[in-house]
Amino acid sequence: MGALVRDGGNYPALRGATNVPEDGTGGFVKFEGSNTLYNVYDGGNFMTGKAFQMIGAPLDVLEKGANFNSRIRFDGKDTATDKKAYTTGYNYNRVGWKK
């Protein structure tokens, strides 16, 4: 996702020390077998959900961590859109461990 933001060509110029585009700008990501389009940030939430599922962490741990992060960084609960993205990623079954 970082490369998509930096090198995607369809994003506005990067800004500030964080080197991220303005929120709400840029393209979308679609995961195989899904009919949902995600912006880059919610695409990252989707992949975070899947990563938590793959390491065996419970979904409630992810939810609590996301809410804690949102309260610290943004003075509020995690948004419904963020929650939907990481929950959908957590339940996504097209990716798994391979031997």
Side-chain angles (χ1 to χ4, degrees):
M1 289 302 211
L4 177 63
V5 172
R6 281 192 306 278
D7 307 324
N10 61 341
Y11 278 80
L14 301 178
R15 64 175 168 79
T18 58
N19 287 330
V20 295
E22 292 290 334
D23 197 13
T25 61
F28 296 93
V29 178
K30 180 181 176 288
F31 295 96
E32 183 180 349
S34 170
N35 291 324
T36 304
L37 294 176
Y38 297 94
N39 66 29
V40 170
Y41 305 106
D42 286 332
N45 289 334
F46 181 99
M47 293 191 314
T48 298
K50 184 59 187 178
F52 268 70
Q53 185 267 338
M54 289 179 75
I55 65 171
L59 181 57
D60 70 315
V61 170
L62 173 55
E63 290 172 339
K64 289 174 186 172
N67 273 325
F68 179 77
N69 180 60
S70 290
R71 287 175 198 259
I72 297 297
R73 295 182 64 207
F74 306 113
D75 296 325
K77 281 184 160 182
D78 212 19
T79 67
T81 306
D82 288 346
K83 185 174 182 176
K84 181 179 179 186
Y86 63 69
T87 300
T88 303
Y90 190 91
N91 294 315
Y92 186 69
N93 292 320
R94 290 190 172 253
V95 177
W97 294 111
K98 192 173 190 179
K99 289 183 180 185

